[in-house]
Amino acid sequence: MEGEVQGHIEQVAREAKPQVSGIENLAYGSLSGMMGKFVEYPFDTVKVRLQTSETQVFSGTLDCLKQTWQHEGFRGFYRGLTSPLLGAMAENAIAFYAYNRIQSAIRAVSHDSEAGLSLPQLFVSGALSGSICAFVISPVELVKCKLQVENVQGYASGGTQASRTKFKGPLSVVAHLLKTQGVGGLYKGILPTVARETLGVGFWFGTYELVCQMLLNMQNRDGSAKLTKSDLGAGSIVLAGGCAGIGYNITSYPIDVVKSFIQTDDVRSASASKERTGIVSTIKTVYSRGGIAAFYRGLGITLIRAFPANAAMFMTYEYLTRLSAALHSH
């Protein structure tokens, strides 16, 4: 059974993907990132606040939702959206572009431009594209996390208003960081970001390809003409994309907690040290707040948003590439 699925993976990796140019890859990836970010951002705000706040601030996901609505209203869930929206567009554009180019490079090394790639090769292609994306997304996530968290500490006092904020928006955060820490300040938390993206994006693309091939394997059992990924319907793309989001988050979530904790240390506490927070010390701090479970705080809301957001991303990308292929064929 494993060999049969692997065979279909290699076949579909060879046959299924519509041929699109590099510019089209960048454009379609960008649009898919925009769609996914609009869907996921309110959930992401809750996730970051649960990851970084003291346990007495929020008792859980529902309490965080309730307090955010009471203190900030609907806009509170989209606080700091501009930076990550642009970042998601750039990240996904680079992710899909790099993923396809790395696959082409692997085929070139094998001296067979039509060679199908194995699942491990697809995972490596995704992991390498993720490591590239990390350098684009790290400053964006730094700004996003600071804006999402800076006004939360006042919640614990029982007041009716959020804490007074010192940042007016993404540009305000960037200006502050450049003034106080220089360009290097924009890359605070880069190491855990690279680790998260390398592992997570590898599983993101790998899971998507695996689920697509399993679905094709089921549909091709009747012995009729072999179907390829471009023949999968919307329901199949939604399922594969949603599972990809689940795979990304389950595998990389503890790293994401450490990353968010490091990037918000100066806004979570007025007495925070100006020294860079180390990875090891952050892991110890997170562990002291609840053991292993502390590394998974907020995972529930993350998985809830991961499925629809990633389904929207892959649906957008797949159907745009199919439309492009159809237009090129005429």
Side-chain angles (χ1 to χ4, degrees):
M1 178 65 181
E2 181 180 354
E4 184 179 0
V5 172
Q6 182 61 53
H8 279 288
I9 289 175
E10 294 180 357
Q11 177 190 356
V12 176
R14 178 175 60 253
E15 300 176 354
K17 186 173 289 298
Q19 295 300 311
V20 295
S21 68
I23 295 298
E24 288 173 319
N25 260 316
L26 290 169
Y28 302 156
S30 177
L31 290 172
S32 69
M34 180 180 68
M35 290 293 295
K37 185 57 64 177
F38 274 120
V39 173
E40 76 169 9
Y41 197 76
F43 301 100
D44 185 69
T45 295
V46 174
K47 178 207 73 172
V48 173
R49 291 182 171 187
L50 286 171
Q51 285 179 335
T52 59
S53 63
E54 298 293 338
T55 54
Q56 66 265 27
V57 178
F58 303 118
S59 61
T61 299
L62 292 179
D63 185 47
C64 183
L65 286 166
K66 178 183 177 182
Q67 289 202 52
T68 299
W69 178 263
Q70 288 179 339
H71 294 305
E72 302 173 70
F74 180 78
R75 294 180 63 183
F77 293 101
Y78 281 93
R79 179 172 170 79
L81 173 64
T82 304
S83 172
L85 180 62
L86 295 175
M89 294 174 70
E91 178 188 20
N92 275 52
I94 294 171
F96 281 103
Y97 177 84
Y99 180 60
N100 288 300
R101 288 295 171 265
I102 292 169
Q103 289 183 65
S104 297
I106 293 175
R107 292 189 183 96
V109 170
S110 67
H111 303 291
D112 185 354
S113 62
E114 299 299 321
L117 300 186
S118 66
L119 185 59
Q121 288 174 321
L122 292 170
F123 175 87
V124 170
S125 298
L128 291 175
S129 71
S131 64
I132 295 171
C133 289
F135 290 92
V136 175
I137 198 65
S138 185
V140 175
E141 293 224 346
L142 176 67
V143 173
K144 170 188 75 77
C145 288
K146 289 184 185 299
L147 288 172
Q148 287 175 322
V149 170
E150 68 157 341
N151 63 338
V152 171
Q153 300 311 309
Y155 288 9
S157 64
T160 58
Q161 299 293 326
S163 298
R164 186 176 181 179
T165 61
K166 65 178 180 179
F167 300 126
K168 297 180 180 180
L171 293 180
S172 174
V173 178
V174 172
H176 172 76
L177 290 171
L178 290 175
K179 181 179 179 180
T180 59
Q181 301 176 39
V183 176
L186 294 174
Y187 281 89
K188 186 175 185 178
I190 182 62
L191 290 180
T193 303
V194 170
R196 184 198 68 180
E197 292 299 288
T198 301
L199 179 65
V201 177
F203 274 96
W204 191 57
F205 279 118
T207 301
Y208 179 74
E209 299 286 1
L210 176 61
V211 174
C212 283
Q213 314 328 323
M214 293 178 67
L215 291 171
L216 285 170
N217 186 36
M218 294 171 60
Q219 295 180 29
N220 286 328
R221 283 179 178 174
D222 59 7
S224 59
K226 292 296 183 181
L227 302 177
T228 65
K229 192 193 296 182
S230 60
D231 297 309
L232 289 175
S236 296
I237 299 300
V238 166
L239 177 61
C243 288
I246 299 296
Y248 172 94
N249 284 285
I250 287 180
T251 55
S252 64
Y253 196 80
I255 305 174
D256 187 55
V257 171
V258 173
K259 187 273 305 179
S260 296
F261 210 89
I262 289 174
Q263 291 183 326
T264 61
D265 66 338
D266 59 334
V267 295
R268 285 182 288 102
S269 173
S271 60
S273 171
K274 293 184 179 181
E275 297 182 1
R276 281 189 175 275
T277 306
I279 294 176
V280 174
S281 62
T282 299
I283 292 174
K284 291 179 179 178
T285 300
V286 174
Y287 186 82
S288 70
R289 296 172 63 178
I292 297 298
F295 292 94
Y296 290 92
R297 191 168 187 231
L299 178 60
I301 191 71
T302 300
L303 296 182
I304 290 173
R305 60 95 167 169
F307 196 98
N310 288 275
M313 278 190 274
F314 277 102
M315 176 76 81
T316 301
Y317 181 80
E318 286 290 345
Y319 276 88
L320 284 173
T321 55
R322 293 181 189 184
L323 176 61
S324 175
L327 292 175
H328 288 322
S329 67
H330 292 295

